[in-house]
Amino acid sequence: MRHSHGHDNREHHHRGRGGEHHHGGGRRQRFFGHGELRLVILDILTRNASHGYELIKAIETLTQGNYTPSPGVIYPTLDFLQDQQFITLTEEENGRKKIEITVAGQQWLEENIEHLEHIQERVKARCVGFQLRKNPQMKRALDNFKAVLDLKVNQEETSDAQIKQIIGVIDRAALEISQLD
């Protein structure tokens, strides 16, 4: 019982720290869901051994600068991966720790390859979204769209017929945008 309680505290503490970093004032969504950063780190390690700082930079590059994990997120994740025997850490002469993926880590990554691909697609889509919102006119248009939709759907009594009309408008807009040259 005592061991389980200690684990629960550690896990809760880890989520809390990660949540603080990801939410950035409560408005931003988490860039990675629970446990997803593990897969991303293992994928990076399949290309070469690394160090903590290099992993942080690789993730920043992957997200086109839109997310930089803090050491308070990276190092507990590395501890977990080491506990699971998915990575090894080797002390180098300069005092840095070289991080390498193990055979077990490669197997776990292969077992979860579909999830990793889903994460990679979502990261690409979110990076496009970040780029779109950097354009002031696009940001204004998106904010206007969200405000109108919020008013119409959440603050008025909206009938099923009106909901179907709204869905039709959104679908037509999406189709029209997809067909632009």
Side-chain angles (χ1 to χ4, degrees):
M1 191 69 168
R2 188 173 224 164
H3 178 269
S4 175
H5 179 69
H7 175 73
D8 289 344
N9 284 341
R10 187 173 64 236
E11 188 67 24
H12 175 71
H13 180 66
H14 172 67
R15 266 188 259 137
R17 289 184 64 161
E20 288 169 25
H21 178 74
H22 287 293
H23 290 298
R27 282 194 49 103
R28 284 186 9 203
Q29 289 181 304
R30 290 172 60 118
F31 213 92
F32 296 107
H34 182 69
E36 291 182 340
L37 190 57
R38 300 170 193 164
L39 288 171
V40 171
I41 288 171
L42 290 177
D43 182 52
I44 292 167
L45 292 172
T46 61
R47 291 184 281 287
N48 59 341
S50 194
H51 300 91
Y53 179 76
E54 291 166 350
L55 284 172
I56 290 170
K57 287 298 166 193
I59 293 164
E60 184 177 39
T61 299
L62 175 75
T63 64
Q64 298 177 17
N66 293 302
Y67 173 71
T68 304
S70 70
V73 170
I74 285 293
Y75 290 105
T77 303
L78 292 174
D79 288 344
F80 176 85
L81 291 171
Q82 187 178 24
D83 289 347
Q84 297 298 308
Q85 299 180 343
F86 292 160
I87 61 170
T88 58
L89 282 84
T90 311
E91 187 125 2
E92 296 180 321
E93 289 178 20
N94 59 11
R96 294 172 71 190
K97 291 186 177 170
K98 182 178 178 182
I99 306 161
E100 295 179 280
I101 189 169
T102 64
V103 172
Q106 289 174 335
Q107 287 174 332
W108 188 71
L109 185 61
E110 287 171 22
E111 290 168 9
N112 291 280
I113 198 72
E114 284 183 30
H115 190 182
L116 177 65
E117 289 167 356
H118 175 74
I119 294 166
Q120 291 167 335
E121 287 301 314
R122 195 178 69 234
V123 167
K124 283 180 196 170
R126 288 197 59 191
C127 288
V128 168
F130 280 117
Q131 295 294 41
L132 281 175
R133 288 187 290 280
K134 286 181 182 178
N135 177 308
Q137 289 302 315
M138 182 63 73
K139 182 176 178 350
R140 181 207 50 79
L142 288 170
D143 288 345
N144 185 39
F145 176 74
K146 286 189 278 186
V148 167
L149 193 58
D150 184 52
L151 277 171
K152 193 68 177 166
V153 175
N154 294 324
Q155 296 176 6
E156 293 181 12
E157 287 194 29
T158 309
S159 70
D160 287 344
Q162 288 172 315
I163 294 287
K164 285 181 183 175
Q165 285 180 312
I166 292 168
I167 291 169
V169 168
I170 294 169
D171 285 344
R172 284 190 301 279
L175 179 64
E176 197 172 317
I177 290 168
S178 73
Q179 293 176 344
L180 292 174
D181 290 336

